[in-house]
Amino acid sequence: MASLRSILLLLLSAAVACHGGTYDYSEVIQKSLLFYQAERTGKLSGMDPSLYWRKDSCLDDKGQNGEDLTGGYFDAGDYMKFGFTLAYTLTLLSWGAISYEQGYASAGALDGVRDAIKWGTDYLLKAHVSANELYVQVGNTTADHNYWGRPEDMTLERPAYKVDTEHPGSDVAAETAAALAAASGVFRSVDATYADTLLQHAKELIAFADNYRAIYTESGAIPDSDGTAYLSKGYGDELAWGYAWLAKITNDQTYLQRAEEVYEEFGLINIGGGLNWEQKASGVDAVLANISSNGQYLEHLRGTCNYLLTNEKRTPKGLLFLSEWGSLQVAATVALMCLEVSNLGLDQETLQAFAKQQIDYALGDAGRSYVVGFGENPPLRAHHRAASCPDLPATCDWTQYSTTDPNPHEVTGALVGGPGENDDYSDDRTDYVHNEVCIVYNAPFTGVLAALKQLGY
Ligand SMILES: *[C@@H]1O[C@H](CO)[C@@H](O)[C@H](O)[C@H]1NC(C)=O
Ligand SMILES: *[C@@H]1O[C@H](CO)[C@@H](O)[C@H](O)[C@H]1NC(C)=O
């Protein structure tokens, strides 16, 4: 009897293995998380040996009153620290870790995703210096972008900017609340004390965001927000998103009620297809579809997904093409949010096939890999300052930016921006639209990969 049972199990696992695609999703997930290590700044610890070329950096980052702001993540191929995109990245990473915990576990990457989240949330806790005070940017975007070299060699001034009651920012404060609430859900079962701390900060931040309403790039919080920072166009979506995550994680009906009120107040039902660092309306639909008794959110999300999958432009080789800039991550984000419809039992075949297709496109189906250090013909010249620099004592400057040589170091696991509308792409370091890497990009990408693992692909 026992042996029959084990034979059946063997057959079952063989069937699952054959069902799998041609790519090793576990390997991609692990590499994708390695990318977050490559983006770490501050006093480094626990680094993978392959990242020996990354060193401690920006150890003087501090607030206007000397508060310690070291740590966290560089945003992309540059050395800015932006709170808005960091928080959004952490919300998406946490979303994936909550919805697809089994997928991460089967990829051997549960600790890895928790570490990636914690490196970011530890920094956000530092940046939230008092109830109504949150640092949201370190660095001067213009000066930073004029610098090409290693972060540890950089001597630029790094001013720190915050939102507070005089210069509020409901968008960034509410997104940070969403990130910390979602992360508390990730850590609840492994470190309850840390989860409590995250949740406490999330609650303070959503109150601050709601009570002092403003767009952070318009309230004077960032004096030089001249189009170089991540400009926000509104905050109603982040407010609803922050409340929705708090509701999902705490089961507190007050937060659910506020999420639904804010959703109404800002008419989010009229916004279709929105989920990116600036716009979260469809993300709110996805979270509320999961927890509200009102069916409108699921219906709205399902309609959005149906529209995006059937009416929006595809490249000839099948990538959903909504944006020239970072086309691959935009498609991955659609997959992440639309899989929530599938998780609720609807359109499963279509949505899962779509998710797999979009991910497999990035992994090689279009004729090349778009993930550094993975698969066939991966990018060798990702727009990434540190990776472009040779080992010491060689100097590193704009010469390394311009050279057509491959990067001396591999920023393993980074998803590059991606192709244009005709699947056109060249592995060119100077093409930051298609060949930069960014903490935002890998967040939906890794989440969908974990979903595919969990689904047995
Ligand atoms: C909501 O999402 C969680 C995972 O985040 C899942 O465990 C739960 O089953 C979902 N609820 C419903 C009603 O589908
Ligand atoms: C940022 O850097 C630019 C270029 O170096 C400089 O002109 C500008 O004054 C700086 N802004 C601030 C607020 O430090």
Side-chain angles (χ1 to χ4, degrees):
M1 197 57 202
S3 67
L4 180 59
R5 189 164 171 272
S6 47
I7 289 167
L8 276 173
L9 280 174
L10 257 176
L11 285 172
L12 269 173
S13 59
V16 169
C18 292
H19 184 49
T22 46
Y23 306 104
D24 182 345
Y25 294 145
S26 299
E27 180 190 347
V28 191
I29 291 172
Q30 289 166 12
K31 287 187 167 169
S32 184
L33 294 172
L34 216 46
F35 167 62
Y36 285 96
Q37 287 197 17
E39 292 301 285
R40 287 180 180 185
T41 172
K43 178 108 192 85
L44 304 182
S45 63
M47 297 285 284
D48 189 90
S50 67
L51 292 165
Y52 74 90
W53 47 279
R54 286 300 331 284
K55 316 273 184 203
D56 295 351
S57 61
C58 304
L59 297 174
D60 288 328
D61 282 4
K62 52 171 141 354
Q64 293 163 17
N65 301 307
E67 303 97 332
D68 171 22
L69 294 179
T70 59
Y73 287 113
F74 293 134
D75 188 60
D78 59 354
Y79 301 131
M80 292 299 293
K81 293 199 290 199
F82 291 115
F84 197 33
T85 43
L86 171 60
Y88 173 68
T89 296
L90 296 172
T91 308
L92 258 54
L93 271 178
S94 299
W95 180 359
I98 291 168
S99 289
Y100 310 112
E101 187 176 343
Q102 285 314 310
Y104 275 112
S106 69
L110 205 43
D111 287 342
V113 70
R114 287 176 184 145
D115 286 351
I117 294 166
K118 188 165 187 295
W119 192 270
T121 50
D122 281 350
Y123 173 77
L124 289 182
L125 294 178
K126 282 186 184 181
H128 186 213
V129 292
S130 73
N132 294 339
E133 242 181 324
L134 173 70
Y135 279 94
V136 298
Q137 181 177 319
V138 181
N140 169 333
T141 313
T142 310
D144 187 278
H145 289 181
N146 287 338
Y147 172 80
W148 195 277
R150 303 178 189 89
E152 62 271 20
D153 294 342
M154 187 170 61
T155 56
L156 296 174
E157 272 186 56
R158 289 176 58 86
Y161 302 115
K162 62 176 173 168
V163 292
D164 56 23
T165 55
E166 280 171 48
H167 309 287
S170 306
D171 33 28
V172 66
E175 180 63 68
T176 307
L180 296 177
S184 83
V186 173
F187 287 101
R188 177 59 55 196
S189 64
V190 280
D191 186 345
T193 310
Y194 191 61
D196 285 342
T197 303
L198 294 169
L199 197 52
Q200 182 55 35
H201 283 266
K203 289 176 177 179
E204 288 176 8
L205 282 162
I206 198 69
F208 171 44
D210 204 356
N211 293 336
Y212 297 88
R213 290 182 169 198
I215 293 176
Y216 88 109
T217 42
E218 290 178 6
S219 70
I222 304 172
D224 61 350
S225 56
D226 52 5
T228 51
Y230 288 94
L231 297 181
S232 170
K233 296 195 204 80
Y235 53 75
D237 51 336
E238 279 91 10
L239 269 183
W241 173 243
Y243 275 124
W245 273 106
L246 272 156
K248 180 177 165 84
I249 296 304
T250 62
N251 288 318
D252 183 332
Q253 293 304 302
T254 319
Y255 286 127
L256 178 57
Q257 191 185 330
R258 283 302 291 141
E260 301 198 275
E261 284 167 4
V262 172
Y263 189 92
E264 284 294 312
E265 180 187 347
F266 289 89
L268 300 188
I269 195 86
N270 300 316
I271 300 174
L275 182 60
N276 56 58
W277 58 265
E278 200 283 316
Q279 178 56 256
K280 283 99 195 193
S282 294
V284 180
D285 283 329
V287 179
L288 292 182
N290 176 250
I291 57 172
S292 171
S293 57
N294 184 337
Q296 71 167 343
Y297 309 106
L298 176 58
E299 201 182 313
H300 194 221
L301 179 65
R302 190 185 186 198
T304 298
C305 291
N306 183 45
Y307 178 85
L308 290 171
L309 266 61
T310 53
N311 295 349
E312 284 291 359
K313 189 194 289 186
R314 301 281 183 116
T315 67
K317 291 180 179 168
L319 180 70
L320 179 68
F321 192 79
L322 298 176
S323 160
E324 186 75 37
W325 197 307
S327 54
L328 292 168
Q329 68 101 4
V330 173
T333 307
V334 171
L336 183 69
M337 75 183 196
C338 294
L339 279 175
E340 291 293 336
V341 175
S342 160
N343 293 345
L344 290 160
L346 298 170
D347 308 333
Q348 289 180 328
E349 217 172 303
T350 310
L351 294 173
Q352 293 173 13
F354 170 77
K356 185 172 187 328
Q357 180 204 17
Q358 300 301 300
I359 293 298
D360 287 354
Y361 180 105
L363 299 183
D365 275 9
R368 65 168 307 132
S369 164
Y370 287 97
V371 180
V372 178
F374 175 83
E376 295 289 320
N377 191 18
L380 300 176
R381 298 167 192 82
H383 180 102
H384 189 269
R385 285 165 175 73
S388 81
C389 292
D391 277 327
L392 288 165
T395 54
C396 187
D397 56 27
W398 286 97
T399 315
Q400 274 69 40
Y401 168 78
S402 313
T403 174
T404 54
D405 293 347
N407 289 336
H409 299 299
E410 184 183 275
V411 57
T412 309
L415 177 73
V416 298
E421 62 181 327
N422 292 312
D423 303 301
D424 48 301
Y425 164 84
S426 69
D427 182 13
D428 176 350
R429 189 179 299 105
T430 66
D431 181 0
Y432 49 81
V433 172
H434 303 102
N435 221 24
E436 190 160 2
V437 302
C438 180
I439 55 171
V440 170
Y441 297 0
N442 277 65
F445 179 64
T446 319
V448 179
L449 280 156
L452 294 174
K453 278 298 287 184
Q454 185 157 316
L455 290 165
Y457 290 105

